[in-house]
Every structure is written in structure tokens, then in C-alpha cells.
Amino acid sequence: QVQHVESGGGLVQAGGSLRLSCTASGRTFSSYGMGWFRQAPGKEREFVATINWSGDTTYCPDSLKGRFTISRDNAKNTVYLQMNSLKPEDTAVYYCARGMSSGLGLSLTWYKYWGQGTQVTVSS
């Protein structure tokens, strides 16, 4: 059973930065694409970013591009989400998950093995 543990969340003022980490168990991390999602209270889980198996291809929606960057270190079984210029509307629980194959995925249903989430709160 693959497990993911997210960390790095916390309380930050608007305009600040955080780097989230997600470390996976097992030996197959480097074979799969990974993704970050977020869920604010009362809202559906929302796609944030995705990265392929090697880390050389990423995708982030235009609404977050320029502020959020996804990366990975396969030697450490870890995927990261660097978040800059944070806004109060970025407040949510952030989740990482492993994709079904080695590429990119934008759909929530393409992912399995979700982490427990890490809370990010941005104060105004």
C-alpha cells in the first residue's frame, strides 16, 4: 500500500510563501506522475498542479501559474509545491496524490493513493 505524507503547511500572511512537501512510501514513486489538489471549506476539491514521472514536464492552470510551481526529487520520493505571493483565497487543505501512469493528469479521478492533507491558511 502506497502512502503519502504531506507537510509544510501553516499560517502565513498574504504575500508570503510556503513550500509543501509530499513524501511517498515504496519503491515505485519515480514511475508515476504526481499531482497537488486543494479543498477549501464548503468547496469541491480543486486541481492545482501536476508533474510527470521524470519532472521534466509540469502543468499548472493559468490562474495559478507564476505563483505556484511543482517539482519532484525522485531520489527522495518527494514532490514539492512552491507557493509564492499567497492570497487569502489560497486558504485550503492541500493534498498530493499519485497518478495512474507516468504522465500528467488534471482530473481528480486519474489519481489514487491520496495523502491526508496539510492545512494552508493565508491571513489578510
Side-chain angles (χ1 to χ4, degrees), residues 33-38 45-52 57-65 70 97-112 114:
M34 296 292 294
W36 284 97
F37 287 75
R38 67 185 182 184
R45 196 164 293 191
E46 174 190 23
F47 169 75
V48 173
T50 181
I51 188 167
N52 73 334
T57 305
T58 64
Y59 177 79
C60 193
D62 288 344
S63 59
L64 299 177
K65 202 172 294 184
I70 188 172
R98 195 187 84 175
M100 295 291 188
S101 67
S102 60
L104 307 178
L106 278 66
S107 172
L108 187 147
T109 58
W110 187 72
Y111 290 89
K112 62 185 300 186
W114 293 81

PDB file of all heavy atoms in Angstrom, residues 33-38 45-52 57-65 70 97-112 114:
ATOM      1  N   GLY A  33       3.308   9.826 -12.464  1.00  0.00           N
ATOM      2  CA  GLY A  33       3.023  11.240 -12.337  1.00  0.00           C
ATOM      3  C   GLY A  33       2.396  11.529 -10.987  1.00  0.00           C
ATOM      4  O   GLY A  33       1.787  10.654 -10.367  1.00  0.00           O
ATOM      5  N   MET A  34       2.565  12.759 -10.548  1.00  0.00           N
ATOM      6  CA  MET A  34       2.027  13.178  -9.257  1.00  0.00           C
ATOM      7  C   MET A  34       1.224  14.462  -9.423  1.00  0.00           C
ATOM      8  O   MET A  34       1.403  15.210 -10.384  1.00  0.00           O
ATOM      9  CB  MET A  34       3.168  13.420  -8.257  1.00  0.00           C
ATOM     10  CG  MET A  34       3.980  12.187  -7.899  1.00  0.00           C
ATOM     11  SD  MET A  34       3.048  10.989  -6.935  1.00  0.00           S
ATOM     12  CE  MET A  34       2.780  11.909  -5.404  1.00  0.00           C
ATOM     13  N   GLY A  35       0.369  14.721  -8.468  1.00  0.00           N
ATOM     14  CA  GLY A  35      -0.435  15.934  -8.527  1.00  0.00           C
ATOM     15  C   GLY A  35      -0.704  16.520  -7.168  1.00  0.00           C
ATOM     16  O   GLY A  35      -0.601  15.828  -6.148  1.00  0.00           O
ATOM     17  N   TRP A  36      -1.012  17.800  -7.184  1.00  0.00           N
ATOM     18  CA  TRP A  36      -1.469  18.509  -5.987  1.00  0.00           C
ATOM     19  C   TRP A  36      -2.893  19.021  -6.242  1.00  0.00           C
ATOM     20  O   TRP A  36      -3.191  19.527  -7.333  1.00  0.00           O
ATOM     21  CB  TRP A  36      -0.562  19.707  -5.670  1.00  0.00           C
ATOM     22  CG  TRP A  36       0.755  19.369  -5.058  1.00  0.00           C
ATOM     23  CD1 TRP A  36       1.958  19.236  -5.701  1.00  0.00           C
ATOM     24  CD2 TRP A  36       1.007  19.127  -3.665  1.00  0.00           C
ATOM     25  NE1 TRP A  36       2.937  18.929  -4.787  1.00  0.00           N
ATOM     26  CE2 TRP A  36       2.389  18.867  -3.536  1.00  0.00           C
ATOM     27  CE3 TRP A  36       0.220  19.127  -2.519  1.00  0.00           C
ATOM     28  CZ2 TRP A  36       2.989  18.591  -2.299  1.00  0.00           C
ATOM     29  CZ3 TRP A  36       0.807  18.858  -1.299  1.00  0.00           C
ATOM     30  CH2 TRP A  36       2.184  18.591  -1.199  1.00  0.00           C
ATOM     31  N   PHE A  37      -3.717  18.890  -5.228  1.00  0.00           N
ATOM     32  CA  PHE A  37      -5.076  19.414  -5.244  1.00  0.00           C
ATOM     33  C   PHE A  37      -5.296  20.191  -3.952  1.00  0.00           C
ATOM     34  O   PHE A  37      -4.506  20.073  -3.016  1.00  0.00           O
ATOM     35  CB  PHE A  37      -6.099  18.263  -5.323  1.00  0.00           C
ATOM     36  CG  PHE A  37      -6.157  17.603  -6.662  1.00  0.00           C
ATOM     37  CD1 PHE A  37      -5.159  16.731  -7.077  1.00  0.00           C
ATOM     38  CD2 PHE A  37      -7.215  17.838  -7.523  1.00  0.00           C
ATOM     39  CE1 PHE A  37      -5.207  16.114  -8.319  1.00  0.00           C
ATOM     40  CE2 PHE A  37      -7.277  17.229  -8.770  1.00  0.00           C
ATOM     41  CZ  PHE A  37      -6.278  16.372  -9.159  1.00  0.00           C
ATOM     42  N   ARG A  38      -6.371  20.962  -3.918  1.00  0.00           N
ATOM     43  CA  ARG A  38      -6.716  21.657  -2.684  1.00  0.00           C
ATOM     44  C   ARG A  38      -8.223  21.687  -2.516  1.00  0.00           C
ATOM     45  O   ARG A  38      -8.974  21.605  -3.494  1.00  0.00           O
ATOM     46  CB  ARG A  38      -6.153  23.081  -2.683  1.00  0.00           C
ATOM     47  CG  ARG A  38      -6.774  24.023  -3.707  1.00  0.00           C
ATOM     48  CD  ARG A  38      -6.043  25.359  -3.681  1.00  0.00           C
ATOM     49  NE  ARG A  38      -6.636  26.315  -4.621  1.00  0.00           N
ATOM     50  CZ  ARG A  38      -6.151  27.524  -4.844  1.00  0.00           C
ATOM     51  NH1 ARG A  38      -5.050  27.936  -4.198  1.00  0.00           N
ATOM     52  NH2 ARG A  38      -6.743  28.328  -5.701  1.00  0.00           N
ATOM     53  N   ARG A  45     -12.959  19.641  -4.253  1.00  0.00           N
ATOM     54  CA  ARG A  45     -11.513  19.536  -4.390  1.00  0.00           C
ATOM     55  C   ARG A  45     -11.105  20.063  -5.774  1.00  0.00           C
ATOM     56  O   ARG A  45     -11.707  19.706  -6.788  1.00  0.00           O
ATOM     57  CB  ARG A  45     -11.070  18.089  -4.203  1.00  0.00           C
ATOM     58  CG  ARG A  45      -9.592  17.937  -3.941  1.00  0.00           C
ATOM     59  CD  ARG A  45      -9.257  16.564  -3.393  1.00  0.00           C
ATOM     60  NE  ARG A  45      -9.815  16.368  -2.057  1.00  0.00           N
ATOM     61  CZ  ARG A  45      -9.496  15.351  -1.264  1.00  0.00           C
ATOM     62  NH1 ARG A  45      -8.607  14.440  -1.677  1.00  0.00           N
ATOM     63  NH2 ARG A  45     -10.051  15.224  -0.085  1.00  0.00           N
ATOM     64  N   GLU A  46     -10.053  20.873  -5.786  1.00  0.00           N
ATOM     65  CA  GLU A  46      -9.654  21.619  -6.985  1.00  0.00           C
ATOM     66  C   GLU A  46      -8.244  21.242  -7.401  1.00  0.00           C
ATOM     67  O   GLU A  46      -7.340  21.149  -6.549  1.00  0.00           O
ATOM     68  CB  GLU A  46      -9.728  23.115  -6.664  1.00  0.00           C
ATOM     69  CG  GLU A  46      -9.216  24.047  -7.721  1.00  0.00           C
ATOM     70  CD  GLU A  46      -9.105  25.484  -7.234  1.00  0.00           C
ATOM     71  OE1 GLU A  46      -9.007  25.706  -6.007  1.00  0.00           O
ATOM     72  OE2 GLU A  46      -9.119  26.398  -8.078  1.00  0.00           O
ATOM     73  N   PHE A  47      -8.037  21.052  -8.696  1.00  0.00           N
ATOM     74  CA  PHE A  47      -6.714  20.751  -9.240  1.00  0.00           C
ATOM     75  C   PHE A  47      -5.784  21.954  -9.097  1.00  0.00           C
ATOM     76  O   PHE A  47      -6.177  23.093  -9.370  1.00  0.00           O
ATOM     77  CB  PHE A  47      -6.846  20.375 -10.712  1.00  0.00           C
ATOM     78  CG  PHE A  47      -5.539  20.300 -11.440  1.00  0.00           C
ATOM     79  CD1 PHE A  47      -4.682  19.229 -11.251  1.00  0.00           C
ATOM     80  CD2 PHE A  47      -5.164  21.306 -12.316  1.00  0.00           C
ATOM     81  CE1 PHE A  47      -3.472  19.158 -11.920  1.00  0.00           C
ATOM     82  CE2 PHE A  47      -3.960  21.253 -12.997  1.00  0.00           C
ATOM     83  CZ  PHE A  47      -3.116  20.173 -12.798  1.00  0.00           C
ATOM     84  N   VAL A  48      -4.532  21.685  -8.698  1.00  0.00           N
ATOM     85  CA  VAL A  48      -3.543  22.744  -8.508  1.00  0.00           C
ATOM     86  C   VAL A  48      -2.372  22.598  -9.474  1.00  0.00           C
ATOM     87  O   VAL A  48      -1.983  23.561 -10.135  1.00  0.00           O
ATOM     88  CB  VAL A  48      -3.037  22.765  -7.053  1.00  0.00           C
ATOM     89  CG1 VAL A  48      -1.873  23.747  -6.901  1.00  0.00           C
ATOM     90  CG2 VAL A  48      -4.163  23.108  -6.096  1.00  0.00           C
ATOM     91  N   ALA A  49      -1.793  21.409  -9.545  1.00  0.00           N
ATOM     92  CA  ALA A  49      -0.611  21.226 -10.398  1.00  0.00           C
ATOM     93  C   ALA A  49      -0.334  19.748 -10.571  1.00  0.00           C
ATOM     94  O   ALA A  49      -0.725  18.923  -9.738  1.00  0.00           O
ATOM     95  CB  ALA A  49       0.606  21.913  -9.791  1.00  0.00           C
ATOM     96  N   THR A  50       0.372  19.415 -11.670  1.00  0.00           N
ATOM     97  CA  THR A  50       0.743  18.035 -11.932  1.00  0.00           C
ATOM     98  C   THR A  50       2.141  17.985 -12.533  1.00  0.00           C
ATOM     99  O   THR A  50       2.595  18.952 -13.157  1.00  0.00           O
ATOM    100  CB  THR A  50      -0.288  17.363 -12.859  1.00  0.00           C
ATOM    101  OG1 THR A  50       0.078  16.002 -13.074  1.00  0.00           O
ATOM    102  CG2 THR A  50      -0.371  18.072 -14.201  1.00  0.00           C
ATOM    103  N   ILE A  51       2.819  16.859 -12.343  1.00  0.00           N
ATOM    104  CA  ILE A  51       4.182  16.686 -12.844  1.00  0.00           C
ATOM    105  C   ILE A  51       4.337  15.255 -13.316  1.00  0.00           C
ATOM    106  O   ILE A  51       3.771  14.327 -12.713  1.00  0.00           O
ATOM    107  CB  ILE A  51       5.198  17.042 -11.727  1.00  0.00           C
ATOM    108  CG1 ILE A  51       6.627  17.074 -12.254  1.00  0.00           C
ATOM    109  CG2 ILE A  51       5.081  16.089 -10.533  1.00  0.00           C
ATOM    110  CD1 ILE A  51       7.613  17.721 -11.286  1.00  0.00           C
ATOM    111  N   ASN A  52       5.102  15.058 -14.393  1.00  0.00           N
ATOM    112  CA  ASN A  52       5.272  13.694 -14.910  1.00  0.00           C
ATOM    113  C   ASN A  52       6.335  12.951 -14.107  1.00  0.00           C
ATOM    114  O   ASN A  52       6.942  13.489 -13.177  1.00  0.00           O
ATOM    115  CB  ASN A  52       5.593  13.713 -16.402  1.00  0.00           C
ATOM    116  CG  ASN A  52       7.007  14.184 -16.688  1.00  0.00           C
ATOM    117  OD1 ASN A  52       7.597  14.931 -15.907  1.00  0.00           O
ATOM    118  ND2 ASN A  52       7.554  13.740 -17.811  1.00  0.00           N
ATOM    119  N   THR A  57       8.263  17.686 -17.193  1.00  0.00           N
ATOM    120  CA  THR A  57       7.025  18.267 -17.718  1.00  0.00           C
ATOM    121  C   THR A  57       6.065  18.516 -16.562  1.00  0.00           C
ATOM    122  O   THR A  57       5.820  17.632 -15.742  1.00  0.00           O
ATOM    123  CB  THR A  57       6.353  17.332 -18.723  1.00  0.00           C
ATOM    124  OG1 THR A  57       7.279  16.994 -19.747  1.00  0.00           O
ATOM    125  CG2 THR A  57       5.143  18.015 -19.358  1.00  0.00           C
ATOM    126  N   THR A  58       5.547  19.730 -16.520  1.00  0.00           N
ATOM    127  CA  THR A  58       4.605  20.104 -15.465  1.00  0.00           C
ATOM    128  C   THR A  58       3.446  20.874 -16.078  1.00  0.00           C
ATOM    129  O   THR A  58       3.523  21.362 -17.219  1.00  0.00           O
ATOM    130  CB  THR A  58       5.269  20.986 -14.391  1.00  0.00           C
ATOM    131  OG1 THR A  58       5.690  22.225 -14.986  1.00  0.00           O
ATOM    132  CG2 THR A  58       6.479  20.304 -13.781  1.00  0.00           C
ATOM    133  N   TYR A  59       2.373  20.967 -15.327  1.00  0.00           N
ATOM    134  CA  TYR A  59       1.241  21.787 -15.755  1.00  0.00           C
ATOM    135  C   TYR A  59       0.576  22.386 -14.528  1.00  0.00           C
ATOM    136  O   TYR A  59       0.381  21.716 -13.512  1.00  0.00           O
ATOM    137  CB  TYR A  59       0.214  20.970 -16.535  1.00  0.00           C
ATOM    138  CG  TYR A  59      -0.988  21.806 -16.921  1.00  0.00           C
ATOM    139  CD1 TYR A  59      -0.930  22.672 -18.012  1.00  0.00           C
ATOM    140  CD2 TYR A  59      -2.162  21.759 -16.175  1.00  0.00           C
ATOM    141  CE1 TYR A  59      -2.006  23.458 -18.341  1.00  0.00           C
ATOM    142  CE2 TYR A  59      -3.249  22.540 -16.507  1.00  0.00           C
ATOM    143  CZ  TYR A  59      -3.164  23.400 -17.582  1.00  0.00           C
ATOM    144  OH  TYR A  59      -4.229  24.192 -17.905  1.00  0.00           O
ATOM    145  N   CYS A  60       0.234  23.663 -14.676  1.00  0.00           N
ATOM    146  CA  CYS A  60      -0.457  24.399 -13.628  1.00  0.00           C
ATOM    147  C   CYS A  60      -1.474  25.291 -14.338  1.00  0.00           C
ATOM    148  O   CYS A  60      -1.151  25.876 -15.367  1.00  0.00           O
ATOM    149  CB  CYS A  60       0.568  25.233 -12.847  1.00  0.00           C
ATOM    150  SG  CYS A  60       0.005  25.925 -11.307  1.00  0.00           S
ATOM    151  N   PRO A  61      -2.684  25.393 -13.845  1.00  0.00           N
ATOM    152  CA  PRO A  61      -3.663  26.238 -14.520  1.00  0.00           C
ATOM    153  C   PRO A  61      -3.222  27.695 -14.561  1.00  0.00           C
ATOM    154  O   PRO A  61      -2.459  28.154 -13.706  1.00  0.00           O
ATOM    155  CB  PRO A  61      -4.937  26.045 -13.678  1.00  0.00           C
ATOM    156  CG  PRO A  61      -4.483  25.509 -12.377  1.00  0.00           C
ATOM    157  CD  PRO A  61      -3.236  24.754 -12.635  1.00  0.00           C
ATOM    158  N   ASP A  62      -3.707  28.407 -15.545  1.00  0.00           N
ATOM    159  CA  ASP A  62      -3.306  29.799 -15.740  1.00  0.00           C
ATOM    160  C   ASP A  62      -3.567  30.643 -14.507  1.00  0.00           C
ATOM    161  O   ASP A  62      -2.821  31.585 -14.224  1.00  0.00           O
ATOM    162  CB  ASP A  62      -4.047  30.391 -16.939  1.00  0.00           C
ATOM    163  CG  ASP A  62      -3.544  29.834 -18.260  1.00  0.00           C
ATOM    164  OD1 ASP A  62      -2.446  29.236 -18.268  1.00  0.00           O
ATOM    165  OD2 ASP A  62      -4.250  29.988 -19.272  1.00  0.00           O
ATOM    166  N   SER A  63      -4.616  30.304 -13.773  1.00  0.00           N
ATOM    167  CA  SER A  63      -4.971  31.103 -12.597  1.00  0.00           C
ATOM    168  C   SER A  63      -3.922  31.020 -11.496  1.00  0.00           C
ATOM    169  O   SER A  63      -3.849  31.900 -10.631  1.00  0.00           O
ATOM    170  CB  SER A  63      -6.325  30.635 -12.044  1.00  0.00           C
ATOM    171  OG  SER A  63      -6.266  29.270 -11.689  1.00  0.00           O
ATOM    172  N   LEU A  64      -3.088  29.965 -11.533  1.00  0.00           N
ATOM    173  CA  LEU A  64      -2.062  29.786 -10.504  1.00  0.00           C
ATOM    174  C   LEU A  64      -0.649  29.907 -11.061  1.00  0.00           C
ATOM    175  O   LEU A  64       0.310  30.037 -10.288  1.00  0.00           O
ATOM    176  CB  LEU A  64      -2.220  28.415  -9.840  1.00  0.00           C
ATOM    177  CG  LEU A  64      -3.545  28.160  -9.132  1.00  0.00           C
ATOM    178  CD1 LEU A  64      -3.589  26.731  -8.587  1.00  0.00           C
ATOM    179  CD2 LEU A  64      -3.774  29.159  -8.015  1.00  0.00           C
ATOM    180  N   LYS A  65      -0.536  29.847 -12.367  1.00  0.00           N
ATOM    181  CA  LYS A  65       0.785  29.901 -12.992  1.00  0.00           C
ATOM    182  C   LYS A  65       1.478  31.202 -12.629  1.00  0.00           C
ATOM    183  O   LYS A  65       0.864  32.266 -12.593  1.00  0.00           O
ATOM    184  CB  LYS A  65       0.623  29.780 -14.506  1.00  0.00           C
ATOM    185  CG  LYS A  65       1.853  29.298 -15.233  1.00  0.00           C
ATOM    186  CD  LYS A  65       1.508  29.030 -16.705  1.00  0.00           C
ATOM    187  CE  LYS A  65       0.546  27.871 -16.848  1.00  0.00           C
ATOM    188  NZ  LYS A  65       0.274  27.552 -18.271  1.00  0.00           N
ATOM    189  N   ILE A  70       5.379  23.245  -9.217  1.00  0.00           N
ATOM    190  CA  ILE A  70       5.508  21.860  -8.760  1.00  0.00           C
ATOM    191  C   ILE A  70       6.858  21.321  -9.202  1.00  0.00           C
ATOM    192  O   ILE A  70       7.348  21.638 -10.295  1.00  0.00           O
ATOM    193  CB  ILE A  70       4.351  20.988  -9.289  1.00  0.00           C
ATOM    194  CG1 ILE A  70       4.381  19.591  -8.660  1.00  0.00           C
ATOM    195  CG2 ILE A  70       4.353  20.930 -10.808  1.00  0.00           C
ATOM    196  CD1 ILE A  70       3.150  18.747  -8.997  1.00  0.00           C
ATOM    197  N   ALA A  97      -1.273  13.376  -4.526  1.00  0.00           N
ATOM    198  CA  ALA A  97      -1.762  12.058  -4.916  1.00  0.00           C
ATOM    199  C   ALA A  97      -0.920  11.525  -6.061  1.00  0.00           C
ATOM    200  O   ALA A  97      -0.306  12.295  -6.818  1.00  0.00           O
ATOM    201  CB  ALA A  97      -3.222  12.118  -5.331  1.00  0.00           C
ATOM    202  N   ARG A  98      -0.912  10.203  -6.196  1.00  0.00           N
ATOM    203  CA  ARG A  98      -0.193   9.546  -7.281  1.00  0.00           C
ATOM    204  C   ARG A  98      -1.128   9.268  -8.435  1.00  0.00           C
ATOM    205  O   ARG A  98      -2.253   8.783  -8.233  1.00  0.00           O
ATOM    206  CB  ARG A  98       0.411   8.236  -6.790  1.00  0.00           C
ATOM    207  CG  ARG A  98       1.460   7.659  -7.716  1.00  0.00           C
ATOM    208  CD  ARG A  98       1.895   6.287  -7.274  1.00  0.00           C
ATOM    209  NE  ARG A  98       0.980   5.256  -7.771  1.00  0.00           N
ATOM    210  CZ  ARG A  98       1.194   3.956  -7.599  1.00  0.00           C
ATOM    211  NH1 ARG A  98       2.245   3.540  -6.931  1.00  0.00           N
ATOM    212  NH2 ARG A  98       0.339   3.077  -8.080  1.00  0.00           N
ATOM    213  N   GLY A  99      -0.654   9.538  -9.640  1.00  0.00           N
ATOM    214  CA  GLY A  99      -1.449   9.285 -10.814  1.00  0.00           C
ATOM    215  C   GLY A  99      -1.474   7.825 -11.219  1.00  0.00           C
ATOM    216  O   GLY A  99      -0.790   6.980 -10.639  1.00  0.00           O
ATOM    217  N   MET A 100      -2.260   7.531 -12.250  1.00  0.00           N
ATOM    218  CA  MET A 100      -2.433   6.160 -12.739  1.00  0.00           C
ATOM    219  C   MET A 100      -1.286   5.711 -13.630  1.00  0.00           C
ATOM    220  O   MET A 100      -1.112   4.505 -13.866  1.00  0.00           O
ATOM    221  CB  MET A 100      -3.744   6.044 -13.510  1.00  0.00           C
ATOM    222  CG  MET A 100      -4.974   6.251 -12.671  1.00  0.00           C
ATOM    223  SD  MET A 100      -5.228   4.905 -11.494  1.00  0.00           S
ATOM    224  CE  MET A 100      -6.854   5.339 -10.877  1.00  0.00           C
ATOM    225  N   SER A 101      -0.503   6.668 -14.164  1.00  0.00           N
ATOM    226  CA  SER A 101       0.608   6.314 -15.043  1.00  0.00           C
ATOM    227  C   SER A 101       1.701   7.362 -14.910  1.00  0.00           C
ATOM    228  O   SER A 101       1.683   8.156 -13.973  1.00  0.00           O
ATOM    229  CB  SER A 101       0.112   6.204 -16.484  1.00  0.00           C
ATOM    230  OG  SER A 101      -0.296   7.456 -16.968  1.00  0.00           O
ATOM    231  N   SER A 102       2.595   7.373 -15.865  1.00  0.00           N
ATOM    232  CA  SER A 102       3.788   8.207 -15.742  1.00  0.00           C
ATOM    233  C   SER A 102       3.602   9.662 -16.173  1.00  0.00           C
ATOM    234  O   SER A 102       4.482  10.486 -15.934  1.00  0.00           O
ATOM    235  CB  SER A 102       4.921   7.599 -16.569  1.00  0.00           C
ATOM    236  OG  SER A 102       4.523   7.528 -17.929  1.00  0.00           O
ATOM    237  N   GLY A 103       2.498   9.970 -16.816  1.00  0.00           N
ATOM    238  CA  GLY A 103       2.323  11.299 -17.374  1.00  0.00           C
ATOM    239  C   GLY A 103       1.666  12.290 -16.440  1.00  0.00           C
ATOM    240  O   GLY A 103       1.770  12.195 -15.216  1.00  0.00           O
ATOM    241  N   LEU A 104       0.976  13.261 -17.062  1.00  0.00           N
ATOM    242  CA  LEU A 104       0.293  14.317 -16.326  1.00  0.00           C
ATOM    243  C   LEU A 104      -1.186  13.983 -16.194  1.00  0.00           C
ATOM    244  O   LEU A 104      -1.747  13.291 -17.041  1.00  0.00           O
ATOM    245  CB  LEU A 104       0.422  15.656 -17.055  1.00  0.00           C
ATOM    246  CG  LEU A 104       1.819  16.122 -17.433  1.00  0.00           C
ATOM    247  CD1 LEU A 104       1.740  17.439 -18.197  1.00  0.00           C
ATOM    248  CD2 LEU A 104       2.673  16.288 -16.200  1.00  0.00           C
ATOM    249  N   GLY A 105      -1.815  14.520 -15.175  1.00  0.00           N
ATOM    250  CA  GLY A 105      -3.242  14.309 -15.014  1.00  0.00           C
ATOM    251  C   GLY A 105      -3.901  15.517 -14.401  1.00  0.00           C
ATOM    252  O   GLY A 105      -3.435  16.037 -13.388  1.00  0.00           O
ATOM    253  N   LEU A 106      -5.012  15.942 -14.998  1.00  0.00           N
ATOM    254  CA  LEU A 106      -5.737  17.097 -14.480  1.00  0.00           C
ATOM    255  C   LEU A 106      -7.004  16.692 -13.734  1.00  0.00           C
ATOM    256  O   LEU A 106      -7.527  17.476 -12.949  1.00  0.00           O
ATOM    257  CB  LEU A 106      -6.119  18.039 -15.624  1.00  0.00           C
ATOM    258  CG  LEU A 106      -5.055  19.018 -16.112  1.00  0.00           C
ATOM    259  CD1 LEU A 106      -3.889  18.284 -16.764  1.00  0.00           C
ATOM    260  CD2 LEU A 106      -5.670  20.016 -17.069  1.00  0.00           C
ATOM    261  N   SER A 107      -7.462  15.478 -14.002  1.00  0.00           N
ATOM    262  CA  SER A 107      -8.715  15.035 -13.411  1.00  0.00           C
ATOM    263  C   SER A 107      -8.490  14.354 -12.075  1.00  0.00           C
ATOM    264  O   SER A 107      -7.601  13.512 -11.929  1.00  0.00           O
ATOM    265  CB  SER A 107      -9.418  14.062 -14.356  1.00  0.00           C
ATOM    266  OG  SER A 107     -10.542  13.484 -13.710  1.00  0.00           O
ATOM    267  N   LEU A 108      -9.331  14.668 -11.136  1.00  0.00           N
ATOM    268  CA  LEU A 108      -9.256  14.075  -9.807  1.00  0.00           C
ATOM    269  C   LEU A 108      -9.369  12.552  -9.888  1.00  0.00           C
ATOM    270  O   LEU A 108      -8.720  11.828  -9.131  1.00  0.00           O
ATOM    271  CB  LEU A 108     -10.372  14.672  -8.948  1.00  0.00           C
ATOM    272  CG  LEU A 108     -10.417  14.345  -7.465  1.00  0.00           C
ATOM    273  CD1 LEU A 108     -10.967  15.555  -6.710  1.00  0.00           C
ATOM    274  CD2 LEU A 108     -11.302  13.148  -7.197  1.00  0.00           C
ATOM    275  N   THR A 109     -10.155  12.052 -10.832  1.00  0.00           N
ATOM    276  CA  THR A 109     -10.397  10.608 -10.926  1.00  0.00           C
ATOM    277  C   THR A 109      -9.197   9.841 -11.466  1.00  0.00           C
ATOM    278  O   THR A 109      -9.177   8.613 -11.405  1.00  0.00           O
ATOM    279  CB  THR A 109     -11.618  10.319 -11.808  1.00  0.00           C
ATOM    280  OG1 THR A 109     -11.394  10.885 -13.107  1.00  0.00           O
ATOM    281  CG2 THR A 109     -12.883  10.918 -11.207  1.00  0.00           C
ATOM    282  N   TRP A 110      -8.198  10.534 -11.991  1.00  0.00           N
ATOM    283  CA  TRP A 110      -7.000   9.871 -12.510  1.00  0.00           C
ATOM    284  C   TRP A 110      -6.032   9.488 -11.395  1.00  0.00           C
ATOM    285  O   TRP A 110      -5.077   8.765 -11.602  1.00  0.00           O
ATOM    286  CB  TRP A 110      -6.317  10.810 -13.506  1.00  0.00           C
ATOM    287  CG  TRP A 110      -5.159  10.217 -14.260  1.00  0.00           C
ATOM    288  CD1 TRP A 110      -5.213   9.280 -15.260  1.00  0.00           C
ATOM    289  CD2 TRP A 110      -3.767  10.526 -14.084  1.00  0.00           C
ATOM    290  NE1 TRP A 110      -3.940   8.990 -15.710  1.00  0.00           N
ATOM    291  CE2 TRP A 110      -3.043   9.745 -15.020  1.00  0.00           C
ATOM    292  CE3 TRP A 110      -3.071  11.387 -13.240  1.00  0.00           C
ATOM    293  CZ2 TRP A 110      -1.655   9.807 -15.126  1.00  0.00           C
ATOM    294  CZ3 TRP A 110      -1.683  11.445 -13.352  1.00  0.00           C
ATOM    295  CH2 TRP A 110      -1.005  10.662 -14.283  1.00  0.00           C
ATOM    296  N   TYR A 111      -6.315   9.989 -10.200  1.00  0.00           N
ATOM    297  CA  TYR A 111      -5.392   9.814  -9.094  1.00  0.00           C
ATOM    298  C   TYR A 111      -5.904   8.817  -8.052  1.00  0.00           C
ATOM    299  O   TYR A 111      -7.093   8.623  -7.877  1.00  0.00           O
ATOM    300  CB  TYR A 111      -5.164  11.163  -8.390  1.00  0.00           C
ATOM    301  CG  TYR A 111      -4.377  12.140  -9.218  1.00  0.00           C
ATOM    302  CD1 TYR A 111      -5.022  13.000 -10.104  1.00  0.00           C
ATOM    303  CD2 TYR A 111      -2.997  12.201  -9.135  1.00  0.00           C
ATOM    304  CE1 TYR A 111      -4.295  13.887 -10.893  1.00  0.00           C
ATOM    305  CE2 TYR A 111      -2.263  13.092  -9.897  1.00  0.00           C
ATOM    306  CZ  TYR A 111      -2.925  13.934 -10.777  1.00  0.00           C
ATOM    307  OH  TYR A 111      -2.204  14.813 -11.539  1.00  0.00           O
ATOM    308  N   LYS A 112      -4.957   8.180  -7.415  1.00  0.00           N
ATOM    309  CA  LYS A 112      -5.245   7.346  -6.261  1.00  0.00           C
ATOM    310  C   LYS A 112      -4.125   7.511  -5.257  1.00  0.00           C
ATOM    311  O   LYS A 112      -3.158   8.185  -5.507  1.00  0.00           O
ATOM    312  CB  LYS A 112      -5.426   5.879  -6.662  1.00  0.00           C
ATOM    313  CG  LYS A 112      -4.213   5.252  -7.289  1.00  0.00           C
ATOM    314  CD  LYS A 112      -4.498   3.834  -7.780  1.00  0.00           C
ATOM    315  CE  LYS A 112      -4.941   2.889  -6.703  1.00  0.00           C
ATOM    316  NZ  LYS A 112      -5.086   1.484  -7.173  1.00  0.00           N
ATOM    317  N   TRP A 114      -4.088   8.974  -2.036  1.00  0.00           N
ATOM    318  CA  TRP A 114      -4.086  10.351  -1.560  1.00  0.00           C
ATOM    319  C   TRP A 114      -3.431  10.441  -0.187  1.00  0.00           C
ATOM    320  O   TRP A 114      -3.545   9.542   0.636  1.00  0.00           O
ATOM    321  CB  TRP A 114      -5.512  10.872  -1.469  1.00  0.00           C
ATOM    322  CG  TRP A 114      -6.165  11.009  -2.803  1.00  0.00           C
ATOM    323  CD1 TRP A 114      -6.741  10.015  -3.544  1.00  0.00           C
ATOM    324  CD2 TRP A 114      -6.288  12.200  -3.573  1.00  0.00           C
ATOM    325  NE1 TRP A 114      -7.215  10.528  -4.720  1.00  0.00           N
ATOM    326  CE2 TRP A 114      -6.956  11.867  -4.768  1.00  0.00           C
ATOM    327  CE3 TRP A 114      -5.903  13.530  -3.356  1.00  0.00           C
ATOM    328  CZ2 TRP A 114      -7.241  12.813  -5.749  1.00  0.00           C
ATOM    329  CZ3 TRP A 114      -6.190  14.461  -4.341  1.00  0.00           C
ATOM    330  CH2 TRP A 114      -6.852  14.100  -5.509  1.00  0.00           C
TER     331      TRP A 114
END
